[in-house]
Amino acid sequence: MLSYSWSLGSASAAAPIDTMVANINEAKQRLERTENKISKVRGALANEVRMLEQQVLRLRNETAVMRRKMDERTLSLSQLETRLSSWQEQHEYQLNLLDRFLLQSGEERVSLQQLTILEKVQKVGEQAQYHANQQVPHFTQGQVVLENGTIENAQTLSLGPITWYLSQDSNIAGIAAIKNGLLSSISTFDLHEIDNLRTLANDRHGLIKLDPTLGRATTRQQASDGMVEHVIKGGVWVIPIVIFGVVSALIALFKVVQLWRLPRVKRVVSGKAMESINGSTESGSLGSCSDNSFEGMQHALYHIAKHAETSAQCDDELFSQLQQDKIKLEKYNGTIAVTAAVAPLLGLLGTVSGMIETFRMMTAFGASDPEVISGGIAKALVTTELGLVVAIPALILNAVLSRKSRQYYDELESFALVLSNDQCELTHRDVQHQEGAIKCSSS
């Protein structure tokens, strides 16, 4: 039934289907037209968006530039101040270089301060040209201030910082340097060196004397003085220091000879030891030794102990003799000790006096010349140097001589103690012998 009904209605349904197909085709056409229209509009919009993006990028760059300019306007003052300070530092540094070069070239500081930068640069150019000309040495005519103050016309030869001069008329030659704007002689040559320089001037070849120290060696040689001149520079305070030094030296020489000539003290520890000196067989007797067994101060002590009647008398005479020997051994040592103590003080006194005189000269004439100040201080320190030169040997000699005297006195004192003990033993035996004799006689 269904297929039948369908077949029955197929003829009637054909018309709507065609209508629907036509509508669909028309819709497809409209869709295609719309899509084409949309694609065209999309392309135009894409181009417009691209142009707008480029415009945005351009505006963004312009904004960054404008922002940078605004930042530069904000920071321009500090940057300009920094640049200005750096330029000023460079300017001062260049000026200092120019001034230093011109001062080393012989320009005066006062005249240099009055020159402009352009004039300084011109002078530097002149100096550069002058040094370029000096690369080819040749003799030129000029004037030289000699050491006696006279001005002499001479031929000059400059090679770097060294200048030689030769006066054919006066037969004088030497080395010169610029002082106070004038070419002044700082050393002279002997006849042989003058002939060599004259040969170089005439024949364009020869041997000449070269001073690599630029006259400093000659100046130092002239400034150096002997010992006597060096001591005299110390002034009036040198006299007592020298007197103390001479006196202490003579006393030290005398004491060395005295102590050297003292006989050696024979070491004795008991009365039996004294017996062994002469090989005596008598026991416990001072008479067992002869007077020739000891010498010098030791002999005097032995002589006192030998001839003493009692032990108390022996002790008193031995003590008195030891005190005399001590005074004799230590005599004049105090003078050497005083010299060691006083000489540095005298040197310091001379230095203080010299410094006071130097400051007085500075007050009167100013401190512009350092040579005057250094010379005055050097002279003032001469007394301190001389005081130490005198005090140090005196201190050493006093210590050595005092030790030698004390050692010799200790040996004498030990010997005197042995003599005193031996004398007491002899006295005790004599007393016992006398008591025994009295008892025998009474019995």
Side-chain angles (χ1 to χ4, degrees):
M1 294 225 18
L2 180 62
S3 59
Y4 177 71
S5 61
W6 175 263
S7 62
L8 290 176
S10 59
S12 61
I17 293 172
D18 293 336
T19 302
M20 291 177 62
V21 170
N23 292 333
I24 291 173
N25 291 330
E26 185 180 359
K28 285 182 178 180
Q29 292 177 358
R30 288 199 304 268
L31 179 62
E32 289 178 356
R33 288 195 299 271
T34 302
E35 289 178 352
N36 292 332
K37 186 178 180 180
I38 290 173
S39 63
K40 292 180 181 180
V41 173
R42 183 182 296 174
L45 291 176
N47 293 330
E48 186 177 359
V49 168
R50 191 180 304 110
M51 292 176 63
L52 291 175
E53 288 178 351
Q54 293 178 354
Q55 187 177 1
V56 168
L57 292 176
R58 184 172 65 256
L59 292 175
R60 185 179 296 173
N61 293 331
E62 292 178 357
T63 303
V65 172
M66 295 300 296
R67 186 176 298 171
R68 193 181 305 113
K69 288 182 178 180
M70 293 297 297
D71 294 338
E72 288 181 355
R73 289 179 182 179
T74 305
L75 300 176
S76 60
L77 182 59
S78 60
Q79 291 177 351
L80 288 176
E81 290 177 351
T82 304
R83 292 177 184 178
L84 181 60
S85 61
S86 64
W87 290 341
Q88 288 177 349
E89 291 177 357
Q90 293 178 2
H91 177 70
E92 292 177 358
Y93 176 73
Q94 293 171 355
L95 282 180
N96 290 331
L97 288 180
L98 290 174
D99 293 343
R100 186 183 305 173
F101 178 78
L102 293 175
L103 286 174
Q104 292 177 353
S105 301
E107 291 290 335
E108 294 293 334
R109 186 179 297 273
V110 178
S111 62
L112 193 62
Q113 294 177 354
Q114 299 175 355
L115 298 177
T116 62
I117 300 178
L118 182 59
E119 292 174 347
K120 292 179 181 179
V121 173
Q122 291 177 354
K123 283 188 173 293
V124 170
E126 293 174 359
Q127 290 291 333
Q129 185 63 34
Y130 171 76
H131 288 294
N133 295 331
Q134 294 300 316
Q135 299 299 323
V136 182
H138 58 278
F139 281 89
T140 58
Q141 292 295 329
Q143 291 183 340
V144 179
V145 180
L146 301 180
E147 295 178 353
N148 57 5
T150 60
I151 299 177
E152 184 75 20
N153 294 323
Q155 293 178 294
T156 60
L157 173 64
S158 297
L159 184 60
I162 303 176
T163 302
W164 294 267
Y165 69 91
L166 171 63
S167 177
Q168 300 282 359
D169 300 332
S170 302
N171 197 23
I172 299 175
I175 298 177
I178 297 177
K179 295 181 179 179
N180 298 324
L182 298 175
L183 190 63
S184 303
S185 175
I186 58 177
S187 65
T188 56
F189 292 164
D190 55 18
L191 295 178
H192 178 68
E193 294 170 348
I194 292 174
D195 293 336
N196 291 336
L197 191 59
R198 183 180 293 109
T199 302
L200 178 63
N202 297 331
D203 301 337
R204 300 302 179 182
H205 62 83
L207 300 176
I208 57 175
K209 180 180 179 181
L210 178 63
D211 185 7
T213 63
L214 303 180
R216 294 185 179 89
T218 304
T219 304
R220 182 175 181 180
Q221 183 178 4
Q222 293 175 354
S224 61
D225 47 14
M227 183 178 296
V228 177
E229 292 81 2
H230 183 69
V231 172
I232 292 175
K233 286 182 178 179
V236 66
W237 293 107
V238 169
I239 298 176
I241 298 176
V242 173
I243 292 175
F244 271 101
V246 172
V247 171
S248 62
L250 293 177
I251 292 175
L253 181 62
F254 169 74
K255 294 297 294 183
V256 168
V257 174
Q258 180 190 20
L259 296 176
W260 182 268
R261 295 180 62 182
L262 287 175
R264 182 176 176 271
V265 177
K266 295 182 179 180
R267 188 173 182 83
V268 178
V269 296
S270 63
K272 293 182 179 181
M274 279 192 293
E275 295 175 7
S276 63
I277 293 176
N278 273 350
S280 175
T281 58
E282 299 181 13
S283 61
S285 177
L286 290 173
S288 61
C289 293
S290 64
D291 291 342
N292 297 328
S293 299
F294 303 102
E295 298 177 355
M297 298 178 181
Q298 190 178 15
H299 176 267
L301 295 174
Y302 176 75
H303 182 76
I304 291 172
K306 182 177 180 181
H307 294 87
E309 296 180 357
T310 61
S311 61
Q313 181 184 1
C314 178
D315 291 341
D316 292 340
E317 293 182 358
L318 286 176
F319 180 77
S320 177
Q321 183 63 33
L322 283 175
Q323 292 301 315
Q324 294 178 7
D325 294 341
K326 183 178 181 180
I327 293 174
K328 185 177 180 180
L329 290 172
E330 297 180 354
K331 191 177 182 180
Y332 302 125
N333 283 348
T335 305
I336 302 177
V338 169
T339 301
V342 172
L345 297 179
L346 289 174
L348 180 61
L349 180 59
T351 299
V352 172
S353 301
M355 292 298 294
I356 292 174
E357 183 64 25
T358 300
F359 286 124
R360 185 181 294 113
M361 295 294 293
M362 291 172 58
T363 304
F365 301 101
S368 59
D369 191 358
E371 295 182 359
V372 176
I373 302 174
S374 60
I377 295 175
K379 291 181 181 179
L381 293 176
V382 170
T383 54
T384 301
E385 178 188 17
L386 187 60
L388 294 176
V389 169
V390 172
I392 293 174
L395 185 63
I396 296 174
L397 287 173
N398 179 60
V400 174
L401 295 175
S402 298
R403 181 179 180 182
K404 180 64 178 177
S405 301
R406 186 167 53 253
Q407 181 181 1
Y408 197 84
Y409 175 76
D410 292 341
E411 294 178 355
L412 291 176
E413 191 176 21
S414 300
F415 180 70
L417 289 174
V418 173
L419 293 176
S420 177
N421 294 330
D422 192 59
Q423 180 65 26
C424 290
E425 292 177 0
L426 290 176
T427 303
H428 181 67
R429 283 200 299 266
D430 290 342
V431 170
Q432 291 179 351
H433 178 70
Q434 290 176 2
E435 291 177 351
I438 292 173
K439 288 181 180 179
C440 291
S441 60
S442 63
S443 62

